[in-house]
Structure formats: structure tokens, C-alpha cells
Amino acid sequence: MSFLSPLTTSIHNPRLCLLNALRANAKPIMTFLGLPSIRTAQLVAQTGLQGIIIDCEHGHISDDAMHGSTAAIAAVGVSPLVRIRMTHGDLIKRALDAGAHGIVVPQVNTAEEAGRVVSDAKFPPQGRRGQGSAFPAIAHAIDIPTYMRTANETIITCLQIETKEGVENIDAICDVPGVDMIFIGPNDLALSILGYVPAKGEEPEFIDAIEKIVAAARKHRKWVARLSNDGASCKEHLKVFDTVAMSYDVRAIQNWYTAELRTARDASQ
């Protein structure tokens, strides 16, 4: 079955910052948000990013905080995505009903799992998502009937590949209609393939895995993304990837204070 999706849609909603940048091949940059604060969400959204991934998998984000951060990010004109904890349909529904412009689903290992995610993310007839929330239309700056008509082809369904099994099945996963983006989680991928974190970046099996994921995404015309630790890494990764997520709000705060305290206490200066 094939159907219109964010990869093929002709719909243009100026509020969908990340989707518009991806379709223009503008190499958008995202980040992860792990702190449960509307104010943090607003501050990070005002930095020039095109997307912010609200991390309900590893971050300190409750359901309430996810709703608040989604609304705050969308109101600034940046695309909120939600990384859910697992592939369960109720988590997908909650994220999309909050107004997420996309979902990021961790630990997808088979085409069957990918198909279930797509089904849970799409309204009928493409899927089984139910309707009942007024909030997503607000986050998309449209009315509810328009949201119902356009959601299936504008909401980004992004799957994380971060295990050896996922790499082995990547071609079949990318072949699933409705999968829009593949996101490489390099740390969990290294842990699965190499048995340690972080990867040095020169291990042949790790390099081969990343190249295999990118090749499958390109073959099936899916967007492909990854985590980048800093601006320099982003610049290099964007030569290959369609978008990257630059670091994490928690890490950014830690790194800034660590660096500035080192400067403040350096007796040689």
C-alpha cells in the first residue's frame, strides 16, 4: 500500500518548520530536550533550531511536561517532535494528540514493528489512530477539520535504528510505507554492535552499520538523521545526513558550566 506522506505531500503549512526545511533540503538542525520546563523549551526554541525532540524516553519528561513543551515550542514557530518510550500505540497517540509535528520511536528492530508504528500514527484508512483532541490543530495553527485532512501526510514518523537486529533488517524497515525518517542512535548502536560506548568512530563494524543504514534510507527515499555531539560534528554529519540532532539541553548546560568554571579557576590567566 502506498499513500501520500511528508516525503511526497504538496501541502505547505508555514508552521511546520522542520518538514518545510527537510523538503527544501535545507539541512535543518534539531536538539533533544530532557528538562520538564516550558521556559527551557521556549529558550531553546528561540535559538534558531528547526526542530526540538522532547525526550520522553530518557529525559525527565512527564505527560504534563510533554504537553506543555509541545505547545511552547510550536508557539515559537519551531517543530516539536516527541521521542516516546517504546512502540506502544497509546504513547504515540498521546504525543500526537499533544500536537507533536512528528514522533521519534526508539528501538525499532523489524518491519513488523515499523508497520505497527505507522498504523498507530495514521488516521484511517491508512491507520488506526483515533480522533478526539483539539490540541494538535492548535500546534499546527489550523482548524480541526484541516488537521484531520492533512495530518497523515504532514506528521513525520521517525524510527530509531540502534541495535544489531535493526541494522540487519534495515532494508525491510525502510520499505514500509509511512516511515518517513530513519534516526541513528550511535551510542546504543555501538553498545549493541561493539559492546561499549562511545564508539571510537573507526571500528569497521560500526562504520559498516552506519553506511548500511544510510544506503537503505537512500534506496527507499527516506530521510536519514543522527545525533551529533557539537557544532563541528553537525557540520560534518550534514554532508551525509538530511538533518541532525545537536546534543541535549542537559548536556549543554553541564558543558557550559564546566568550561566556564575551568576558565574562571585557571590560575595561568
Side-chain angles (χ1 to χ4, degrees):
M1 178 179 65
S2 62
F3 43 81
L4 290 173
S5 72
L7 289 153
T8 58
T9 186
S10 61
I11 293 169
H12 179 77
N13 177 348
R15 183 61 68 90
L16 301 179
C17 183
L18 180 64
L19 175 58
N20 295 336
L22 284 166
R23 288 181 54 78
N25 194 30
K27 301 289 185 174
I29 296 175
M30 305 180 287
T31 194
F32 280 94
L33 184 77
L35 296 174
S37 166
I38 289 175
R39 294 308 185 191
T40 301
Q42 288 175 321
L43 289 169
V44 174
Q46 290 178 326
T47 60
L49 296 161
Q50 284 82 28
I52 298 176
I53 303 170
I54 301 163
D55 189 7
C56 294
E57 182 190 17
H58 294 302
H60 181 48
I61 307 288
S62 66
D63 193 71
D64 282 349
M66 182 267 289
H67 265 265
S69 294
T70 298
I73 293 164
V76 178
V78 175
S79 287
L81 287 78
V82 174
R83 178 160 74 173
I84 62 175
R85 293 192 297 275
M86 56 184 70
T87 59
H88 285 189
D90 61 330
L91 299 177
I92 294 171
K93 178 167 59 177
R94 290 297 291 166
L96 295 181
D97 279 358
H101 292 187
I103 52 170
V104 180
V105 184
Q107 301 279 340
V108 176
N109 297 313
T110 67
E112 290 74 21
E113 290 176 355
R116 287 196 295 272
V117 169
V118 171
S119 183
D120 288 328
K122 302 288 187 185
F123 289 121
Q126 287 84 19
R128 58 191 174 197
R129 180 185 172 194
Q131 192 275 332
S133 174
F135 302 128
I138 298 172
H140 286 66
I142 52 181
D143 57 39
I144 293 173
T146 303
Y147 178 80
M148 293 295 298
R149 270 195 324 272
T150 60
N152 280 5
E153 55 183 291
T154 56
I155 289 172
I156 298 169
T157 300
C158 175
L159 309 183
Q160 282 195 229
I161 303 299
E162 45 192 345
T163 67
K164 185 177 180 180
E165 184 183 7
V167 175
E168 290 170 349
N169 294 319
I170 188 60
D171 191 72
I173 291 170
C174 287
D175 194 38
V176 174
V179 172
D180 305 308
M181 183 187 293
I182 299 297
F183 189 102
I184 297 174
N187 292 326
D188 279 335
L189 185 62
L191 196 59
S192 178
I193 292 175
L194 304 173
Y196 58 84
V197 170
K200 298 180 179 67
E202 59 192 23
E203 300 90 341
E205 57 268 54
F206 183 71
I207 294 171
D208 288 347
I210 290 178
E211 289 179 348
K212 185 176 180 180
I213 294 168
V214 172
R218 296 291 178 231
K219 173 185 174 183
H220 294 280
R221 299 184 178 182
K222 312 292 186 180
W223 292 309
V224 61
R226 66 162 291 160
L227 175 69
S228 297
N229 288 331
D230 50 40
S233 298
C234 280
K235 191 172 183 178
E236 286 303 307
H237 291 153
L238 285 172
K239 295 176 182 177
V240 175
F241 294 86
D242 299 297
T243 180
V244 296
M246 184 174 67
S247 194
Y248 206 101
D249 61 337
V250 177
R251 192 173 298 124
I253 292 170
Q254 287 179 317
N255 288 347
W256 187 88
Y257 275 102
T258 299
E260 294 305 313
L261 283 168
R262 187 181 299 118
T263 299
R265 290 170 176 162
D266 188 346
S268 67
Q269 293 186 1

